[in-house]
Amino acid sequence: MRKKESYRPRTRLVHEGQNRSSFGETSEALYLTSGFVYDSAEQAEARFREEDDGYIYSRFGNPTVRMFEERMMALEGAEDARATATGMAAVTAAMLSLLQAGDHVVAARALFGSCRYIVETLLPRYGIETTLVDGRDTDAWEQAMRPTTKVMFLETPSNPVLEVIDMQAVADIAHAHGARLVVDNVFATPILQRPLDFGADIVVYSATKHIDGQGRCLGGIILGNEAYVRDELANFMRQTGPALAPFNAWVMLKSLETLPVRVDAHCDNAEKLVDFLNTHDKVGRVIYPGDKTHPQYDLACRQMTRGGNLIAFDVGADKADAFRFADNLHIAAISNNLGDAKTLITHPATTTHFRLDDAAKAELGIRPTSLRVSIGLEDPADLVEDFERALDTI
Ligand SMILES: *Cc1c(COP(=O)(O)O)cnc(C)c1O
């Protein structure tokens, strides 16, 4: 593609990174190979010395994986990236590439369950201390800072109750203390929110969610500046091996072509469902960053172009009501995954966040009546009817 930097994002999502083989294929090629051969022993030597920039081994890099990375870099406005086998591999590799024993991490307490495990349980085992704060409270971030703080970590909107965190405020605190901000941008997607524009240093994704978007493959990616990827991340990835498989990279790469169209349709559907839920008398609290009733609506509007496809809401009076509602949905399936073309609903208190004690759940606003729904791409009128019918059973 010529002069690609001048094209708009949707064009770049269809073309960026394509590296055509001598066959001139239209669709990006899938290089399903673990290794690469050299023309000579001399070339092999030069490649290991990094004097020749061909591929060596797919744990270090692969042409299909690189096409996915380059397309994501264009979308995110990042200088470089490394794709990973899963979203959790991305979070773990990002953290471990930045930290060593004696360092300190400050993280928002409202995190995806496994991210909270990494920060709260795993890192301390290796001598890295962590402090969890209410991410919405800027003073709490500032007060948690120590001379050894190297990383701040957050997701916004957060899982499962969609708290919004002021990324620029947290980034300013991080930078004033010589720390770096890592943002898990899964819920917003790279279409609706670009954390690098709000001061984040590193952005991580589970590509398993909206980027694949059709519930097929696991994947992840870490994006940042060139110096970080070259000096801190690349060798960590190469030696420890959380590489993305070429097949999964190919699925993700092709999915990026339709990501803006899908995310827009997801948001259209979610807005219709929010309007319905807001008026139903068996539905309590409805939390959606794109709705004026969200307590941080103004901040959400500053950071995100639309509200996304996740809605948190309370149904009935107790857990039994929430379960009855979920069990009586016909279209929406019970699943803890999200960002799928299929509408998926989960009861966070007994699934994704069941490990948290009652006090921690209460602190995060996860109630026995709370459900989190990932709105899919079905006809919204069918979804509204499905929800209405299920609500009638309680
Ligand atoms: C799903 C998810 C992850 C983990 O991603 P996997 O691909 O399942 O490993 C991390 N953070 C958030 C916010 C997620 O939704």
Side-chain angles (χ1 to χ4, degrees):
M1 210 178 131
R2 277 151 297 181
K3 287 206 303 180
K4 56 195 175 190
E5 304 76 21
S6 65
Y7 293 114
R8 291 166 185 80
R10 277 174 66 163
T11 308
R12 296 179 75 179
L13 279 172
V14 177
H15 294 282
E16 188 89 13
Q18 180 157 26
N19 185 1
R20 284 206 171 94
S21 78
S22 57
F23 294 113
E25 64 282 352
T26 314
S27 173
E28 292 73 0
L30 168 52
Y31 293 95
L32 203 52
T33 180
S34 37
F36 300 85
V37 298
Y38 311 100
D39 294 337
S40 63
E42 287 75 12
Q43 190 187 43
E45 181 184 32
R47 221 164 267 185
F48 273 80
R49 286 172 172 274
E50 292 177 20
E51 289 159 4
D52 175 311
D53 52 64
Y55 291 95
I56 296 175
Y57 187 57
S58 284
R59 168 152 50 78
F60 311 171
N62 170 283
T64 307
V65 176
R66 191 59 189 162
M67 287 191 256
F68 170 60
E69 290 167 348
E70 289 188 357
R71 203 162 282 184
M72 280 296 297
M73 284 152 54
L75 177 57
E76 199 70 44
E79 289 174 7
D80 207 350
R82 286 290 181 278
T84 56
T86 65
M88 285 322 303
V91 172
T92 308
M95 294 304 228
L96 295 182
S97 68
L98 291 165
L99 292 162
Q100 60 182 33
D103 289 345
H104 175 241
V105 174
V106 184
R109 66 189 180 195
L111 293 176
F112 181 75
S114 296
C115 295
R116 187 150 164 167
Y117 165 81
I118 302 280
V119 170
E120 201 174 24
T121 308
L122 187 73
L123 293 180
R125 275 176 36 196
Y126 299 94
I128 299 159
E129 291 188 54
T130 62
T131 305
L132 292 175
V133 298
D134 178 343
R136 297 165 298 183
D137 180 354
T138 304
D139 292 340
W141 289 97
E142 178 68 52
Q143 277 155 23
M145 298 305 285
R146 299 182 193 167
T148 51
T149 308
K150 293 284 161 54
V151 170
M152 324 267 274
F153 179 62
L154 62 87
E155 56 184 70
T156 179
S158 68
N159 186 26
V161 291
L162 309 169
E163 290 177 0
V164 179
I165 298 177
D166 187 337
M167 288 184 282
Q168 190 66 61
V170 179
D172 289 346
I173 295 168
H175 299 154
H177 292 264
R180 280 178 283 183
L181 173 61
V182 180
V183 173
D184 178 337
N185 200 36
V186 168
F187 273 38
T189 81
I191 300 294
L192 303 176
Q193 174 172 282
R194 301 212 313 174
L196 298 178
D197 294 346
F198 297 93
D201 299 282
I202 292 156
V203 186
V204 294
Y205 288 98
S206 166
T208 314
K209 311 295 168 54
H210 309 77
I211 291 174
D212 173 304
Q214 288 139 92
R216 299 162 296 190
C217 291
L218 297 172
I221 191 162
I222 306 164
L223 301 113
N225 69 29
E226 208 182 316
Y228 163 66
V229 174
R230 184 189 58 227
D231 300 337
E232 294 168 282
L233 181 63
N235 198 44
F236 179 89
M237 292 281 302
R238 179 171 168 150
Q239 310 298 353
T240 62
L244 180 62
F247 178 78
N248 289 9
W250 180 81
V251 172
M252 307 295 181
L253 173 67
K254 297 305 290 176
S255 289
L256 285 178
E257 296 178 355
T258 57
L259 184 64
V261 182
R262 288 186 283 109
V263 169
D264 248 353
H266 275 298
C267 293
D268 290 344
N269 280 1
E271 286 167 8
K272 293 199 172 84
L273 260 293
V274 167
D275 287 345
F276 165 75
L277 292 170
N278 270 333
T279 57
H280 200 288
D281 59 5
K282 286 179 187 156
V283 176
R285 181 182 64 157
V286 178
I287 309 172
Y288 182 65
D291 194 69
K292 287 193 181 60
T293 59
H294 192 287
Q296 298 157 290
Y297 178 67
D298 292 339
L299 176 61
C301 289
R302 279 208 302 282
Q303 297 186 155
M304 302 170 72
T305 51
R306 294 189 74 179
N309 80 317
L310 289 139
I311 309 167
F313 59 102
D314 287 286
V315 158
D318 52 20
K319 173 182 154 189
D321 281 345
F323 272 31
R324 189 169 309 117
F325 169 73
D327 287 343
N328 278 289
L329 289 164
H330 294 170
I331 298 173
I334 299 170
S335 171
N336 48 281
N337 200 7
L338 59 97
D340 195 304
K342 294 177 169 59
T343 294
L344 305 175
I345 193 158
T346 193
H347 184 254
T350 54
T351 61
T352 54
H353 290 71
F354 92 96
R355 280 176 211 283
L356 297 181
D357 60 29
D358 288 346
K361 282 178 194 158
E363 200 175 62
L364 293 176
I366 302 171
R367 302 173 184 165
T369 50
S370 301
L371 293 159
R372 181 200 78 194
V373 64
S374 168
I375 300 295
L377 298 175
E378 301 93 342
D379 189 310
D382 286 329
L383 292 176
V384 167
E385 281 170 25
D386 195 31
F387 275 50
E388 196 159 32
R389 184 177 48 234
L391 283 165
D392 283 344
T393 67
I394 62 171

